[in-house]
Amino acid sequence: MQSKDSSPPDGGYGWVVVVSAFMVMGLTVAVLKTFGLFFVEIQQHFDELASTTSWITSVTIAVFHLGAPVASSLCVQYTHRTVVITGGLLAFSGMALGFFGLNMVWMYATTGFLQGLGISFSWTPAISIVSHYFSKKRALANAIASAGECAFAFTFGPFFQWLISQYGWKGALLIIGGIQLNICVCGVLMRPLASSCLLEASPCETETPPGNSASRRDKEDKSPIVHKTFNWMLVRRPEFVLYAIFGILAAMSFFVPPLFLVPFSYSLGIDESWTASLLSILAMVDFGGRLLCGWYANLHVTKTIHLLAMTITLISTSLMLLPLANNYLSLAIFTGFYGFFFGTTVAIHITVLADVVGMPEFDSALGLFMLIRSTGGFVGPPLAGLIVDVAGDYRAGFYMAGGTLVLSAGFLVILDRLQQRKKSGSKIRTKSEKSTLSYPSLQILKHQ
């Protein structure tokens, strides 16, 4: 049972929530992004194949997405704060138990399943509560929160490498798990947003005149407490379905460029040391794109869904141009364009989801969207790999990603048209109802 949100404050304590969400993004997704540093260490320790070892990350990603509806449902039934704290404890448990490193199945269950569930239970409510605290500044708030992923990923790479060199991969896992306990602290700071009467019952009671118990009972009966449940029926709403299809197609593309960027640079004869710098460029411009797009969206000059369609189109254009690179400089420029526009997209796509379904259904929509979008993330890389194998050229993977993004932008256009049509239809009905109500009044005035 949870109270229906009062009007979002659009500031104040909401910025504390944003900073907390910024930290959660860094302590969850950024850890997942840099976990590849443990890959060779774990593979050599257990003397396993690369494909066997890679299942640790695959399990983490799968559970992260599949757990999103569960996390959203728990947010609806309890509070975002409770779920985030639970996620922090799960993430810590996954890393701490991974320290024992008994066998590969143990690693799948700990740093795979438990860590993935911890990330899901932390990330989902953290990004959700930011949207509850903000309305007019929602795009900016979401952009700042999501930027934590880039900021932490940029610093975690060398830090994790140093931990592994000093304490071994097992000791590094234990230390990282301890660091992830800070997710619980961030969760404590995520105060549930509710009406003042619900948070402070006694002051509201003192404002009620003595002896007016009936009036007080009426107010209590009308208090904004509702029994909310997870709404699985959102899949029947055309607007949500269209946005979910966009999410699938976009996810099919987003995981492809980072996968083929390094081998493509090698195929161009670029030195390994220079290739590593491309990933740093990607992280930096991604960070800048998120903040800049969040700031621009906050100006409300452009409708968020139109802005998203534009950024998606620009990403697809940069991916189509990237294969034209023939040296480090040109590849770095095109990589920068891709990373920047990717950041702008990530900054506002959750805001657009809130606009599409409305805040009362946002928690349910976020969980379902994450679950449905995961199919694109699972299908995209293998499909791109197959296309690359058939074509015999890494460029084909980038063309596939760019073309899929163009198709996803088409669904955003259809969604926008549908929303505009429903809005205009609603205005026509409202005008007709007003004219119908005013007509009898005019007749009465004439008779008088």
Side-chain angles (χ1 to χ4, degrees):
M1 184 176 72
Q2 231 180 335
S3 61
K4 186 184 288 185
D5 291 346
S6 59
S7 57
D10 263 318
Y13 192 81
W15 293 117
V16 176
V17 175
V18 169
V19 173
S20 299
F22 179 93
M23 297 291 292
V24 170
M25 297 302 108
L27 294 171
T28 54
V29 182
V31 171
L32 178 59
K33 278 187 170 183
T34 51
F35 192 77
L37 293 169
F38 291 86
F39 184 89
V40 176
E41 301 290 334
I42 295 175
Q43 181 186 3
Q44 291 178 349
H45 178 82
F46 292 107
D47 192 22
E48 293 284 357
L49 297 172
S51 57
T52 305
T53 309
S54 65
W55 272 104
I56 298 175
T57 303
S58 297
V59 170
T60 308
I61 295 173
V63 175
F64 169 36
H65 285 88
L66 295 175
V70 180
S72 293
S73 179
L74 290 173
C75 288
V76 170
Q77 296 298 321
Y78 302 102
T79 62
H80 296 79
R81 169 188 282 171
T82 303
V83 182
V84 171
I85 293 173
T86 303
L89 294 173
L90 287 169
F92 162 73
S93 300
M95 288 297 195
L97 292 174
F99 164 79
F100 295 102
L102 302 180
N103 50 51
M104 286 304 296
V105 175
W106 179 264
M107 300 304 295
Y108 296 155
T110 56
T111 55
F113 181 82
L114 284 179
Q115 179 68 197
L117 198 61
I119 292 175
S120 186
F121 278 31
S122 304
W123 185 94
T124 308
I127 205 68
S128 172
I129 196 171
V130 170
S131 294
H132 281 283
Y133 260 91
F134 290 85
S135 178
K136 294 180 181 179
K137 299 178 182 178
R138 185 176 294 148
L140 177 62
N142 277 324
I144 294 173
S146 68
E149 172 188 332
C150 306
F152 278 72
F154 186 75
T155 57
F156 273 176
F159 177 57
F160 285 4
Q161 193 68 62
W162 179 81
L163 285 178
I164 293 171
S165 65
Q166 294 294 315
Y167 304 101
W169 68 270
K170 291 185 178 182
L173 285 181
L174 185 61
I175 294 170
I176 294 169
I179 294 172
Q180 285 185 307
L181 275 176
N182 286 288
I183 294 173
C184 300
V185 179
C186 297
V188 170
L189 295 173
M190 292 178 179
R191 188 170 65 197
L193 181 63
S195 65
S196 58
C197 286
L198 290 172
L199 289 174
E200 302 176 12
S202 54
C204 291
E205 289 176 2
T206 57
E207 292 173 2
T208 306
N212 195 5
S213 58
S215 175
R216 185 174 64 192
R217 281 195 300 270
D218 289 342
K219 289 183 178 180
E220 288 173 352
D221 290 341
K222 294 177 181 178
S223 63
I225 297 178
V226 292
H227 292 276
K228 295 172 67 178
T229 56
F230 191 86
N231 187 6
W232 294 94
M233 292 300 102
L234 282 170
V235 294
R236 294 185 177 181
R237 288 178 56 176
E239 297 92 338
F240 178 78
V241 171
L242 287 171
Y243 197 70
I245 295 174
F246 153 74
I248 293 172
L249 294 172
M252 285 179 65
S253 307
F254 287 161
F255 290 96
V256 172
L259 186 64
F260 294 130
L261 184 60
V262 172
F264 177 58
S265 67
Y266 288 159
S267 69
L268 295 177
I270 298 174
D271 186 73
E272 184 177 345
S273 59
W274 286 101
T275 298
S277 68
L278 292 174
L279 300 178
S280 298
I281 292 172
L282 200 62
M284 286 189 293
V285 295
D286 183 356
F287 181 83
R290 296 186 193 215
L291 295 182
L292 186 61
C293 187
W295 168 80
Y296 178 77
N298 189 58
L299 299 177
H300 301 287
V301 176
T302 308
K303 193 176 177 181
T304 50
I305 192 170
H306 295 167
L307 185 59
L308 181 60
M310 285 189 289
T311 59
I312 288 292
T313 303
L314 289 169
I315 293 178
S316 64
T317 303
S318 63
L319 286 176
M320 293 291 191
L321 293 174
L322 193 145
L324 300 178
N326 54 11
N327 54 45
Y328 174 79
L329 180 60
S330 58
L331 185 59
I333 292 172
F334 289 132
T335 298
F337 279 122
Y338 163 74
F340 179 82
F341 293 125
F342 175 80
T344 60
T345 299
V346 174
I348 59 172
H349 80 288
I350 296 297
T351 302
V352 175
L353 176 63
D355 294 339
V356 169
V357 301
M359 286 312 300
E361 303 293 349
F362 177 69
D363 289 322
S364 300
L366 180 60
L368 283 173
F369 180 74
M370 286 289 293
L371 176 64
I372 296 171
R373 188 183 69 171
S374 66
T375 58
F378 295 146
V379 173
L383 178 60
L386 178 62
I387 293 174
V388 167
D389 289 338
V390 172
D393 193 337
Y394 288 110
R395 293 178 175 86
F398 295 102
Y399 289 134
M400 169 263 178
T404 307
L405 280 175
V406 171
L407 185 60
S408 72
F411 282 92
L412 289 178
V413 174
I414 296 172
L415 171 59
D416 182 51
R417 293 287 179 86
L418 177 62
Q419 287 181 316
Q420 289 181 356
R421 188 178 300 174
K422 285 192 173 184
K423 188 175 181 181
S424 60
S426 177
K427 286 181 179 179
I428 293 172
R429 285 194 299 271
T430 303
K431 288 180 180 179
S432 63
E433 287 173 0
K434 285 182 178 180
S435 61
T436 303
L437 290 171
S438 62
Y439 180 74
S441 302
L442 290 172
Q443 295 295 323
I444 292 171
L445 288 172
K446 285 180 181 180
H447 282 90
Q448 289 178 344

